Amino acid sequence: MIAYILLAFFNGTVIGTSRAINGRLGAEIGSVKASLWNHLIGFLFLTPALLLLGGWKFEVIPEAPASAYIGGFFGALFVAVNSYVFPRLGAMNASLLVISGQMISAVLLDYRNQGVAPTVTRCLGVVIVLFGVYLTRAAKNPRVKDKSQ
């Protein structure tokens, strides 16, 4: 289990680095073009990786629902939107808001797909992350800071 936790943590650092790189590229050439480059480079990385692993055979699996193939759309949209907001909101705020959106959608998806009702703990986790966003904004904005004193 610890290996999975470390791998997930490592993946979080990769995502954060990717966001910074894509945000920088998006500021230079536009967020949609940055998303296109991101996915083109990803294609060039994954194709030989799959060939080396011996697992690449382009096929459409008839048992899979059509909706299973639209994940690429959401991935491209995510990279484009993130490339747009990252330089404008900063790394901390952009990351926390993305994580907040992921947590809210995860709670809703668990409820819809597994019938797991959102618990107070899960909702509190979302509120805490959003409060973290507020705190980082309040620290930069002296007007908000004065109200808290």
Side-chain angles (χ1 to χ4, degrees), residues 49-71:
L50 285 172
L51 289 173
L52 289 173
L53 295 172
W56 193 31
K57 187 170 75 175
F58 188 79
E59 61 185 324
V60 176
I61 300 173
E63 297 83 29
S67 62
Y69 292 97
I70 63 170

Side-chain angles (χ1 to χ4, degrees), residues 14-146:
V14 170
I15 290 170
T17 303
S18 172
R19 286 177 186 157
I21 292 169
N22 288 329
R24 173 83 170 107
L25 184 61
E28 295 293 327
I29 65 171
S31 57
V32 176
K33 288 180 184 174
S35 181
L36 178 64
W37 273 108
N38 176 67
H39 288 86
L40 179 64
I41 299 300
F43 176 78
L44 295 175
F45 167 72
L46 289 175
T47 301
L50 285 172
L51 289 173
L52 289 173
L53 295 172
W56 193 31
K57 187 170 75 175
F58 188 79
E59 61 185 324
V60 176
I61 300 173
E63 297 83 29
S67 62
Y69 292 97
I70 63 170
F73 166 77
F74 289 109
L77 181 64
F78 166 77
V79 173
V81 170
N82 205 54
S83 297
Y84 182 75
V85 300
F86 193 90
R88 289 163 177 82
L89 295 176
M92 176 68 87
N93 289 330
S95 296
L96 287 174
L97 289 167
V98 167
I99 292 169
S100 298
Q102 289 175 333
M103 292 175 72
I104 291 169
S105 65
V107 167
L108 295 174
L109 287 171
D110 280 350
Y111 178 69
R112 181 182 176 266
N113 296 338
Q114 298 175 359
V116 177
T119 63
V120 172
T121 307
R122 287 180 178 207
C123 293
L124 187 60
V126 173
V127 170
I128 289 171
V129 171
L130 289 172
F131 187 65
V133 173
Y134 170 77
L135 287 178
T136 61
R137 299 290 296 174
K140 289 182 179 178
N141 186 350
R143 193 176 69 178
V144 174
K145 203 177 202 179
D146 289 338

